Amino acid sequence: MSLPKLYIPGPVDIAPETYAAMAEPIIGHRGGDFEALYASIQPALKQIAGTERNVFLSTSSAWGVMEAAVRNLVQTKVLNLCCGAFSDKWYGVAKSCGKQAEKIQVEWGEAIDPEVVRAKLAEGGFDTVTLVHNETSTGVMNPLREIAEVVKSFDGVLLVVDTVSSFSAAPTPMDELGIDVLLAGVQKALALPPGLSIFGVSEAALERAKTTENRGYYFDFLEFAKADKGNNTPSTPAIALLYALRQKVNAIAEEGLENRYARHSKLNKMLGDWAAKHGFKNFAPEGHESQSLICIDNQDGRLDVPAFSKALRAKHNLLINGGYGKIKGTTFRISNMGNETVETMQHLIDCLDDVIKDFI
Ligand SMILES: *Cc1c(COP(=O)(O)O)cnc(C)c1O
């Protein structure tokens, strides 16, 4: 049997046009052909990120840039906003980089409260805040605009935002919100193969980096800024993935950002309706539901999640996720990221219906 279509929250299903784009011949990265490729990606990518500045391209998964943000920006102490697997881990990563770190920790399934952030920052001593916009492990979308407003009201505190599973699926206007580092891996909301990350860095963040010690080389923001001036990257980039990124950002420009956000909301609502129809609740609180995936609450153990996912794969060749880390099985997750349409989601829902009748 062929490999299953991916409805896990990353990596997700790749469009045939994306695979085709990746088959273009590889070029040398020190020269005009590459500079033209790099420059051609920027206009649409900057528009998605909501920034006037060029967006840097890192040959790494998102964690490379998440760690880099800590290494480049934190001089006194970082505040990590923790509400699930990815945001929690950022705190551990900051400590492992030798940085002073404190966290605000909420239960998995809850969102970060901006007023709690305000109270913590008012204690003083922080120079950086990390936020995961869309906590993929719990399906919670944090109130980005409100949290950004709070962080911006404190002088000298930089805001780093992970938009790995929301970039291009929900608005993340970097400049408007005053975000200092906005980053995303490409295998989730952008529906590209893994191995590349994109990140925007504000002027204030670059200024900070200049006086931060031990930034290293591979992820040094100043190296990225210097290379960017010549439409290039510090080290050899994943050129095939850049072809894929060019194809994708152009496709997004053609679709239109507002249309794309609306499509994701609509498809996500189809998943929410499916869950409700079978008596399941969204694991995320009302008003903080992710728009690019659903994390479904199975804490009463009504569904044998591993057996259900297995049956869905065996019968329909579709793969969903049986829950992340400590909420494996007590939740399960289904993605609507990337290229999904009403038709493909309806097919998924028909298949979910077909299989679930044997389980509940
Ligand atoms: C997947 C994910 C990451 C980590 O991405 P890697 O590609 O494994 O580095 C970070 N943050 C969020 C929100 C994610 O969903």
Side-chain angles (χ1 to χ4, degrees):
M1 196 168 181
S2 59
L3 290 169
K5 179 166 178 184
L6 300 180
Y7 284 100
I8 55 173
V12 301
D13 192 53
I14 312 289
E17 309 86 83
T18 299
Y19 284 129
M22 293 178 75
E24 269 194 60
I26 295 302
I27 51 180
H29 65 290
R30 299 293 180 229
D33 291 339
F34 180 79
E35 288 158 21
L37 169 64
Y38 184 102
S40 72
I41 293 170
Q42 291 297 333
L45 186 57
K46 285 156 70 171
Q47 205 192 354
I48 304 168
T51 181
E52 293 291 317
R53 305 166 61 81
N54 269 4
V55 177
F56 302 153
L57 309 175
S58 166
T59 299
S60 69
S61 79
W63 271 114
V65 182
M66 291 164 80
E67 179 172 319
V70 167
R71 292 189 63 187
N72 277 268
L73 304 185
V74 182
Q75 297 185 357
T76 57
K77 187 165 56 171
V78 59
L79 176 62
N80 303 108
L81 307 179
C82 301
C83 63
F86 296 103
S87 48
D88 289 11
K89 190 167 167 178
W90 219 343
Y91 170 72
V93 168
K95 296 204 129 183
S96 77
C97 290
K99 302 293 185 178
Q100 295 289 322
E102 275 192 55
K103 60 179 168 175
I104 290 173
Q105 179 79 61
V106 300
E107 291 291 324
W108 284 26
E110 287 175 15
I112 300 292
D113 179 345
E115 291 313 313
V116 175
V117 178
R118 191 191 306 280
K120 190 75 199 168
L121 288 178
E123 290 175 11
F126 297 99
D127 63 6
T128 309
V129 172
T130 68
L131 170 71
V132 172
H133 177 213
N134 195 58
E135 182 42 89
T136 319
S137 62
T138 61
V140 169
M141 190 171 272
N142 283 303
L144 174 60
R145 181 173 292 273
E146 290 78 0
I147 293 171
E149 261 168 29
V150 167
V151 176
K152 288 296 101 185
S153 70
F154 290 86
D155 276 349
V157 182
L158 300 177
L159 176 61
V160 183
V161 182
D162 164 332
T163 63
V164 175
S165 59
S166 55
F167 189 81
S168 84
T172 56
M174 178 176 176
D175 292 354
E176 184 192 330
L177 299 186
I179 295 168
D180 292 290
V181 177
L182 178 130
L183 67 98
V186 298
Q187 79 275 21
K188 294 188 185 166
L190 278 177
L192 299 181
L196 178 72
S197 295
I198 58 102
F199 65 110
V201 181
S202 73
E203 189 60 46
L206 283 178
E207 278 306 310
R208 171 76 63 77
K210 283 181 186 163
T211 58
T212 306
E213 287 177 0
N214 297 318
R215 300 187 306 276
Y217 164 68
Y218 191 74
F219 289 113
D220 181 358
F221 285 179
L222 301 180
E223 292 285 344
F224 277 91
K226 194 167 78 187
D228 173 72
K229 289 204 168 34
N231 285 314
N232 221 311
T233 54
S235 53
T236 313
I239 292 168
L241 285 169
L242 297 198
Y243 288 142
L245 181 63
R246 179 175 61 183
Q247 180 275 326
K248 178 56 64 180
V249 295
N250 289 339
I252 293 173
E254 208 165 294
E255 178 177 15
L257 265 182
E258 292 305 323
N259 294 336
R260 189 172 172 89
Y261 301 150
R263 174 167 64 82
H264 281 83
S265 298
K266 183 171 179 179
L267 302 185
N268 190 261
K269 185 171 182 306
M270 289 172 76
L271 291 175
D273 290 347
W274 176 81
K277 182 174 79 181
H278 293 285
F280 291 109
K281 286 209 291 250
N282 198 318
F283 192 60
E286 209 179 326
H288 297 292
E289 300 94 341
S290 164
Q291 298 299 298
S292 60
L293 73 134
I294 186 168
C295 182
I296 297 173
D297 189 340
N298 185 47
Q299 287 177 96
D300 59 8
R302 200 151 57 89
L303 183 67
D304 180 345
V305 168
F308 174 65
S309 328
K310 201 169 158 209
L312 184 71
R313 178 170 179 168
K315 198 165 178 194
H316 295 290
N317 210 23
L318 303 174
L319 193 66
I320 62 169
N321 174 274
Y324 195 108
K326 67 184 180 189
I327 53 172
K328 193 182 174 95
T330 55
T331 63
F332 59 107
R333 300 179 301 160
I334 308 173
S335 161
N336 61 282
M337 294 177 206
N339 312 307
E340 301 306 320
T341 63
V342 170
E343 290 70 34
T344 62
M345 289 315 276
Q346 191 55 52
H347 172 69
L348 167 68
I349 284 168
D350 292 344
C351 296
L352 290 166
D353 277 338
D354 176 48
V355 174
I356 207 159
K357 64 181 180 340
D358 296 332
F359 283 84
I360 57 173

